[in-house]
Amino acid sequence: MPAIAAGAIKSGASFYWHLGDWRAIYNFDEDIEHQPEVLAKPLNIAGYEDLAWKDFIANQLMAFGTLPVYLAIGNHETIPPKTREDYLIQFADWLESPSLREQRLADDPRDFQLKTYYHWIERGVDFIALDNATLDQFDRSQMAWFEKTVQAAALNPQVRTVIVGSHKPLPESIALTHSMNESPDGVESGRRVYQDLLKLQNQSHKHVYLLASHAHYFMDGIFNTEYWRSHGGVLPGWIVGTAGAQRLPLPSESASARIAETNVYGFLVGTIEPDGQAEFIFQHLQESDIPSSLVERYTPGFVHWCFAENSVAH
């Protein structure tokens, strides 16, 4: 993540959007285990659970400096003992940033409730972050909020582009087994969100793009499936799960994607053209991109392990 932060800043990005899974929670993260102070005094489970999110803030978020960072909740943020309530408290400074607070109150001057989903409009683009971290989502409240937000975007002539980010990909993607297809509620509500976005594109003539994480590889063209080709059309979509988690094998249908790569690290850079069209380019990270201070802190051997062996995709 510090290397991603450096790359994002160097690219001239306006902000960085992280689509979830800060820490493993169900097990110790390898980088925490290899911190010199932890090697000297290993953590117990309670110590790890107390440290995990604080370490994410200190060693990942702080690397972005003054570059704004937007956060979307992932399933690992809800692994016990972590809860949505814990998430809202710990990350309130990011979820209540000036741009998000101003947008929420512009939408509804009486809405003073912090939520795990949000949106903001910036330079003609409506960025919508959804919460599908658990199998019961999208619930009724979030669906009502989302459809109200999409309807407002459709009627707003200043909004040319809508970009939706969620941790899990919407249903019926190439990443079928690692998506909202994991539950019946996810399939039903996720299909509805997708159809809402198709309508936004086809009837309101907005440019629509879908970003996700969850699966630990990179893929461009995730909705080029038989289901969506026969149920309204294919929306542009990406999976970017390449920020440090254990890399996974590509799904069997990955040949249908425009690009599919595993055993890579990196980040996606989006550029919005004056007419609202977006171009997304994946920026690969190499072992040499890791800051020298981190190589010294974690040792060259461990840094090399992260690139050479942190994978179940062979």
Side-chain angles (χ1 to χ4, degrees):
M1 281 295 292
I4 287 175
I9 293 167
K10 184 178 180 181
S11 75
S14 299
F15 63 86
Y16 180 77
W17 203 358
H18 195 313
L19 297 182
D21 284 0
W22 324 140
R23 284 305 189 185
I25 305 302
Y26 73 93
N27 199 0
F28 293 87
D29 301 281
E30 290 90 349
D31 61 319
I32 289 180
E33 288 185 303
H34 283 78
Q35 292 172 359
E37 56 272 28
V38 175
L39 289 171
K41 187 179 180 180
L43 293 166
N44 59 24
I45 293 174
Y48 164 75
E49 290 171 347
D50 179 66
L51 175 66
W53 283 356
K54 297 173 185 176
D55 182 89
F56 167 68
I57 292 170
N59 290 313
Q60 298 185 42
L61 290 184
M62 291 299 101
F64 289 90
T66 60
L67 184 69
V69 177
Y70 294 91
L71 301 177
I73 189 171
N75 60 297
H76 284 253
E77 281 72 72
T78 66
I79 291 177
K82 302 300 186 184
T83 65
R84 277 189 174 83
E85 291 72 22
D86 295 333
Y87 171 86
L88 289 171
I89 293 169
Q90 180 68 80
F91 298 104
D93 283 353
W94 287 268
L95 299 171
E96 184 73 345
S97 66
S99 59
L100 297 186
R101 177 180 172 81
E102 290 168 10
Q103 186 67 60
R104 188 179 74 244
L105 294 176
D107 294 342
D108 182 355
R110 298 168 296 177
D111 185 1
F112 297 101
Q113 183 178 5
L114 204 60
K115 302 177 183 67
T116 53
Y117 48 90
Y118 57 82
H119 84 116
W120 81 101
I121 298 173
E122 182 173 341
R123 287 180 281 182
V125 182
D126 199 342
F127 297 94
I128 303 175
L130 296 177
D131 172 2
N132 56 10
T134 50
L135 299 178
D136 60 329
Q137 298 297 320
F138 308 114
D139 64 12
R140 185 176 299 176
S141 296
Q142 186 174 186
M143 282 301 308
W145 172 88
F146 171 76
E147 293 185 334
K148 179 181 177 182
T149 300
V150 168
Q151 184 178 41
L155 297 174
N156 187 345
Q158 295 184 343
V159 170
R160 300 182 302 275
T161 309
V162 173
I163 301 178
V164 177
S166 61
H167 181 66
K168 296 178 183 179
L170 296 182
E172 317 306 342
S173 74
I174 293 171
L176 191 72
T177 61
H178 220 68
S179 71
M180 291 187 75
N181 283 86
E182 293 167 4
S183 73
D185 286 343
V187 171
E188 181 181 358
S189 62
R191 286 177 178 174
R192 181 170 156 186
V193 164
Y194 191 100
Q195 291 289 351
D196 288 340
L197 293 170
L198 274 174
K199 181 178 178 181
L200 181 69
Q201 173 189 263
N202 297 337
Q203 295 186 13
S204 302
H205 308 294
K206 308 291 184 179
H207 300 285
V208 176
Y209 305 92
L210 296 168
L211 307 177
S213 183
H214 195 45
H216 303 159
Y217 42 73
F218 170 68
M219 191 177 294
D220 174 352
I222 66 173
F223 295 111
N224 184 25
T225 61
E226 177 58 32
Y227 182 89
W228 286 121
R229 287 194 297 269
S230 60
H231 287 79
V234 174
L235 290 172
W238 290 258
I239 290 173
V240 191
T242 55
Q246 186 181 61
R247 280 79 58 90
L248 299 176
L250 293 170
S252 59
E253 301 298 320
S254 60
S256 298
R258 181 172 174 268
I259 303 172
E261 298 178 338
T262 190
N263 290 331
V264 295
Y265 294 127
F267 58 101
L268 196 66
V269 175
T271 303
I272 310 298
E273 301 297 334
D275 65 356
Q277 293 191 72
E279 179 184 34
F280 292 93
I281 298 176
F282 185 71
Q283 300 291 330
H284 293 81
L285 287 179
Q286 308 302 328
E287 191 172 337
S288 59
D289 293 317
I290 304 301
S292 59
S293 60
L294 293 182
V295 176
E296 182 178 353
R297 174 170 167 76
Y298 289 95
T299 75
F302 177 64
V303 171
H304 181 69
W305 177 90
C306 291
F307 279 82
E309 300 185 45
N310 186 30
S311 174
V312 292
H314 302 293

